[in-house]
Amino acid sequence: MIFLLFSALILRLGVVQILYGEDAQEEINKKVNQVTNLPVPRGIIFDRFGRVIVDNEPLYSITYTPQKYTKAEERLDLAEKLSAYIKMCETNEPEKDEDGVEVCSDLVKERDMKDYWILKNKEKAYNRLSAEERASMDDKEEYAEVLDRISEEDLAEITDEELEVIAIKRELDQAFALTPHIVKNKGVTEEEYATVAEHLNELPGINVAADWNRKYLFEDTLKYYLGSVTSSDEGILKDNMDYYLTHGYSRNDRVGRSGLEAQYETVLSGEKTRIQHITDKEGNLIQSEVLYPGEQGKNLVLTIDMEYQQMVDEIVREELKTAIEKFPQQNKHMNDAMAVVMDPNTGEILAISGQRYVRGDGVDEPYFEDQSFRAVSDAHRPGSAVKGATVLAGYQSGVIDIGTQFYDRPIKIKDTPEKSSYRTLGTVNDLDALRLSSNVYMFFIALRMGGEYNYQPNHSVSFNPDAFKEMRNYFKQFGLGTNTGIDLPFESTGYKGSTLKAGTLMDFAIGQYDTFTTLQLAQYVSTIANGGYRIKPHLAKEIRLPGHENGLGPVYQSVTPEVLNKIEMDDRYLERVQEGFRQVFQEPGGTAYYEFADAPYKPAGKTGTAQNEIYEDGKLVAKTENLTLVGYAPYDKPEVAFAVVVPNTGIVKGQYQVNKQIGRRILDAYFELKEKRAKEGIQEVIRPVSEEDNSAES
């Protein structure tokens, strides 16, 4: 039997060696290929004149690229060696956590300290468990129990020098195999950088590299639209983790968090350096090879004129402050003012501003906060500024025609409050209704669209609720109540009232029901100005390849105007509303004539005042008004359009016309700046830049 068993064993060994020997040897020598991606500097953001808005600030960086299957003890040993050359905690004063245990700021948590203590006192830690306890637990439960039995006295044994080690090890523990992880890139001194570089041979996986940090050169100006980038500690956004990982991102890669940084992430992030690592079965690195050297992110040229943007911001701040100081008590709820300026022919945003006045508390002086995001996120009742859309809806639906007249006097429908214009205007046609801002004219359009052609005072009226949908659809043709399409991750579309009655449709017709954003109003007036084309507003003008020394580089892609829809109607109707808008600004009796009559650039537009109630805890605390203004210039060949919204102004006789003052100064600044640049020969960035002419200054 023994002989037979040995014979079988010998036969089996022979089969393995002779028949499968080569396969077995290949399995022993098996290699593993793994490709890792290294981030590259992010693209630079310029304004339309080539001024650098967002740049990359170079930083010293110390990174760690672990082998596969690196043990905790090995990382601890590396952390102890590295702590002799860099300091992680010296810029963060030691503080105490909620249990009174001293920690190294946010870099070291209590759990990190406990893990470290166990590694340094493994036998002592596990001896705290009895044999019976250990027999009833698996490894995970056993470790958790050991953690619970570490006392404050144990952690008090940890010295400041050991805290440095723990802070470093915490970073090493977060690294993924064969993927560079930033250990430190904030406050790395030249001495630290040089010392680590000198001792790389004794620090396996550690390397020194040039890193970058995002630098916003104009500080708060436009900051909400530029957005921000995550830190290396935050890495990719958890909400979109699957997307990033499937597109070649590492978990600790910095990505655009908001604004244009997020919207154009794939443009700005560039093409990563790809390195192939070859390891054996044990995870030991055999060879590394660069498959692709990588390419810095592409540069983004914006439509924004930063010089003009700063001027608009200053105008909005000054006029808002003036209005509040003139009537401090009546305007106590007035805090914000928004303005959008765009090219009505291309959709290019030239400036977009939102300023908030923060009142002092008796100790601190009042100050302003840049909150330009409100121009796309905050929706308000626009008042009469939308009457151009109402008149055009009347034309399109066939309830009025050019020259249609109504007698402007108070309207009283049975069981509803009386509605009227700011005064009885008498007989008005469509042009008069715009110039004088007749509410009653718009009321009759709404009534007719609802099916009522024979209004009688104090009587009920016929009303088809479908008229609401019809009028809203007409408004959407101009961008009111729908997405404008701007190249940002988010925009508001406003509030839509749900009470579908004749009275509320009349309110809607004069801008007293649904709410719209400042950007929607700018798109609306641009559609009227350019002859009926609703053009998608955009902040990106061009995408350019990287140039040397932070230059613009050649054009990679230009953002061309995109028409979202064309207003299908007789050209005479749009021309009629355009003429009405011209009369508002340039003819006696026009609601903006006083402020704009002497403007040399021939402006046109529409004013607006909307009632707005303020509630706190469900109780009405104040009745205020929203002051709005939309316009463009020159009226016969528009090149600039704008919208202004100033909500919650006090209702007071002689109220400061802050909306009109902002609008006038915005247009003045635009044309004065245009004339100044023409004299100086300054041009926009509108052509490819050559190798000899690709600096930011050019």
Side-chain angles (χ1 to χ4, degrees):
M1 289 178 64
I2 293 173
F3 172 77
L4 290 174
L5 289 173
F6 271 106
S7 297
L9 179 60
I10 292 169
L11 179 62
R12 180 60 181 164
L13 289 173
V15 169
V16 170
Q17 290 195 8
I18 297 170
L19 295 182
Y20 303 109
E22 186 175 344
D23 292 341
Q25 189 60 45
E26 286 183 1
E27 183 66 22
I28 293 172
N29 297 331
K30 188 175 182 180
K31 298 176 182 177
V32 178
N33 294 338
Q34 179 170 332
V35 176
T36 60
N37 299 315
L38 303 182
V40 293
R42 203 166 174 84
I44 301 168
I45 301 179
F46 300 84
D47 84 338
R48 67 188 301 120
F49 285 91
R51 305 181 188 95
V52 177
I53 303 175
V54 185
D55 203 350
N56 296 317
E57 186 176 27
L59 299 172
Y60 287 130
S61 177
I62 296 169
T63 65
Y64 173 55
T65 307
Q67 299 288 318
K68 284 189 173 182
Y69 317 126
T70 304
K71 297 179 180 178
E73 289 80 6
E74 294 174 326
R75 294 192 295 273
L76 176 59
D77 180 63
L78 179 60
E80 289 174 339
K81 291 178 180 177
L82 188 57
S83 67
Y85 309 126
I86 66 172
K87 298 297 180 186
M88 298 287 283
C89 302
E90 62 179 6
T91 57
N92 300 281
E93 290 296 328
E95 57 186 40
K96 293 184 178 181
D97 64 15
E98 58 186 11
D99 297 321
V101 179
E102 194 174 84
V103 296
C104 173
S105 187
D106 293 332
L107 299 180
V108 176
K109 305 300 182 184
E110 182 179 308
R111 173 59 187 268
D112 302 318
M113 299 172 69
K114 288 184 175 182
D115 289 334
Y116 172 81
W117 192 89
I118 291 175
L119 280 174
K120 300 296 288 184
N121 304 275
K122 194 168 186 178
E123 184 176 351
K124 180 179 178 181
Y126 278 89
N127 283 340
R128 292 177 176 177
L129 300 179
S130 67
E132 292 78 10
E133 288 176 320
R134 298 181 67 172
S136 63
M137 300 178 184
D138 58 26
D139 291 345
K140 187 176 181 180
E141 293 171 333
E142 192 175 332
Y143 191 79
E145 186 62 31
V146 170
L147 281 173
D148 287 341
R149 299 193 183 187
I150 296 175
S151 65
E152 292 184 15
E153 289 74 18
D154 295 329
L155 298 184
E157 298 173 3
I158 297 175
T159 65
D160 290 344
E161 290 75 16
E162 288 177 309
L163 283 176
E164 292 282 353
V165 174
I166 298 171
I168 295 172
K169 183 180 177 298
R170 187 170 190 266
E171 290 296 332
L172 301 184
D173 289 342
Q174 295 178 35
F176 293 91
L178 303 178
T179 301
H181 176 83
I182 295 174
V183 178
K184 182 180 180 181
N185 67 349
K186 296 178 182 177
V188 178
T189 65
E190 291 185 11
E191 181 181 356
E192 286 179 327
Y193 187 86
T195 305
V196 172
E198 184 181 349
H199 294 86
L200 290 179
N201 61 324
E202 62 187 67
L203 301 169
I206 296 296
N207 205 347
V208 290
D211 196 18
W212 54 269
N213 200 12
R214 221 53 172 150
K215 183 178 182 181
Y216 299 90
L217 281 75
F218 288 83
E219 298 179 345
D220 286 347
T221 303
L222 209 68
K223 68 176 182 179
Y224 288 105
Y225 294 105
L226 296 173
S228 61
V229 176
T230 63
S231 67
S232 57
D233 292 334
E234 295 167 317
I236 57 178
L237 298 170
K238 293 181 180 179
D239 292 344
N240 294 316
M241 182 173 293
D242 291 341
Y243 169 83
Y244 290 118
L245 293 178
T246 55
H247 284 75
Y249 285 79
S250 300
R251 293 177 184 271
N252 63 342
D253 281 347
R254 283 169 286 180
V255 297
R257 184 205 308 277
S258 59
L260 293 169
E261 293 276 21
Q263 183 73 20
Y264 290 95
E265 166 63 27
T266 56
V267 171
L268 295 167
S269 61
E271 295 289 334
K272 290 186 172 184
T273 300
R274 291 196 288 274
I275 300 177
Q276 177 177 268
H277 302 284
I278 302 175
T279 63
D280 59 23
K281 288 183 64 178
E282 282 71 37
N284 298 313
L285 184 64
I286 298 174
Q287 181 183 348
S288 294
E289 178 184 359
V290 177
L291 299 179
Y292 178 71
E295 182 179 290
Q296 177 177 332
K298 296 179 182 65
N299 297 331
L300 193 63
V301 179
L302 302 186
T303 62
I304 294 290
D305 176 351
M306 285 303 284
E307 183 179 4
Y308 184 53
Q309 174 71 48
Q310 290 181 309
M311 294 172 71
V312 171
D313 285 343
E314 185 63 22
I315 289 168
V316 172
R317 284 192 293 266
E318 289 177 356
E319 294 301 329
L320 182 58
K321 182 179 180 182
T322 298
I324 292 172
E325 290 180 346
K326 275 185 173 291
F327 299 99
Q329 182 59 32
Q330 294 89 338
N331 288 337
K332 63 182 179 181
H333 297 288
M334 179 194 290
N335 300 311
D336 302 305
M338 288 77 70
V340 175
V341 188
M342 62 188 290
D343 184 330
N345 305 299
T346 65
E348 295 181 355
I349 302 293
L350 306 178
I352 184 165
S353 179
Q355 303 296 318
R356 164 156 288 193
Y357 184 81
V358 181
R359 288 167 169 78
D361 56 4
V363 178
D364 297 325
E365 291 293 321
Y367 63 93
F368 282 98
E369 284 184 353
D370 187 300
Q371 296 191 1
S372 55
F373 65 88
R374 296 186 179 279
V376 299
S377 68
D378 286 15
H380 301 276
R381 294 173 187 166
S384 300
V386 299
K387 286 179 178 176
T390 304
V391 171
L392 288 167
Y395 293 148
Q396 284 184 291
S397 62
V399 302
I400 63 168
D401 204 340
I402 291 175
T404 297
Q405 294 181 339
F406 294 111
Y407 189 77
D408 183 304
R409 80 285 194 189
I411 289 181
K412 181 68 173 69
I413 298 173
K414 184 180 179 181
D415 299 327
T416 64
E418 183 179 273
K419 295 179 181 294
S420 65
S421 299
Y422 56 93
R423 64 179 175 86
T424 299
L425 299 174
T427 301
V428 292
N429 63 16
D430 45 350
L431 288 181
D432 299 328
L434 292 173
R435 176 171 56 87
L436 301 173
S437 199
S438 168
N439 287 344
V440 174
Y441 197 95
M442 310 303 151
F443 294 156
F444 278 117
I445 291 176
L447 288 172
R448 287 190 170 191
M449 289 183 67
E452 179 58 65
Y453 278 76
N454 298 301
Y455 161 75
Q456 297 294 325
N458 294 309
H459 284 68
S460 299
V461 297
S462 301
F463 182 70
N464 182 352
D466 289 343
F468 248 105
K469 182 178 180 181
E470 183 182 13
M471 186 173 282
R472 279 175 173 155
N473 284 338
Y474 287 135
F475 272 49
K476 286 180 180 179
Q477 294 181 89
F478 299 93
L480 297 171
T482 188
N483 286 314
T484 66
I486 191 170
D487 49 344
L488 287 170
F490 169 81
E491 66 166 314
S492 172
T493 57
Y495 165 81
K496 292 180 176 60
S498 58
T499 304
L500 307 183
K501 296 181 179 179
T504 51
L505 185 62
M506 293 163 69
D507 293 337
F508 179 89
I510 63 170
Q512 288 278 173
Y513 197 51
D514 287 5
T515 65
F516 308 119
T517 67
T518 312
L519 180 63
Q520 287 175 325
L521 291 172
Q523 188 181 54
Y524 145 71
V525 75
S526 294
T527 305
I528 291 175
N530 66 32
Y533 296 90
R534 183 166 78 98
I535 299 178
K536 183 177 181 179
H538 55 101
L539 289 161
K541 183 179 179 68
E542 293 175 340
I543 298 171
R544 292 191 174 230
L545 296 175
H548 67 271
E549 297 179 0
N550 289 349
L552 284 163
V555 175
Y556 175 78
Q557 179 183 342
S558 293
V559 179
T560 55
E562 181 179 344
V563 178
L564 299 176
N565 60 268
K566 170 73 169 66
I567 308 298
E568 298 298 336
M569 65 167 61
D570 192 320
D571 289 344
R572 296 180 305 120
Y573 293 141
L574 271 170
E575 291 169 1
R576 187 74 168 177
V577 171
Q578 289 170 347
E579 172 59 20
F581 276 22
R582 185 196 69 80
Q583 291 187 15
V584 170
F585 276 46
Q586 297 184 44
E587 294 294 329
T591 53
Y593 176 76
Y594 179 80
E595 287 81 11
F596 288 91
D598 62 343
Y601 39 77
K602 300 181 293 186
K606 187 71 188 76
T607 60
T609 303
Q611 296 175 3
N612 191 55
E613 301 80 22
I614 297 178
Y615 291 87
E616 292 180 3
D617 299 325
K619 295 182 180 179
L620 177 66
V621 296
K623 291 184 177 181
T624 66
E625 293 178 335
N626 298 337
L627 297 181
T628 62
L629 181 69
V630 297
Y632 55 90
Y635 76 88
D636 53 347
K637 194 175 180 181
E639 60 182 86
V640 61
F642 71 92
V644 175
V645 176
V646 185
N648 301 327
T649 65
I651 302 175
V652 55
K653 186 177 180 180
Q655 175 66 271
Y656 184 69
Q657 300 298 294
V658 59
N659 54 334
K660 300 173 188 176
Q661 295 299 326
I662 291 174
R664 175 61 194 259
R665 291 184 62 188
I666 281 176
L667 287 183
D668 285 351
Y670 172 83
F671 286 101
E672 288 169 5
L673 200 55
K674 177 185 175 183
E675 182 179 358
K676 172 177 173 287
R677 286 170 175 165
K679 291 179 180 178
E680 296 175 355
I682 299 175
Q683 296 183 349
E684 297 175 4
V685 179
I686 54 174
R687 58 185 172 80
V689 181
S690 67
E691 284 295 313
E692 294 77 28
D693 186 28
N694 68 348
S695 67
E697 289 75 18
S698 68

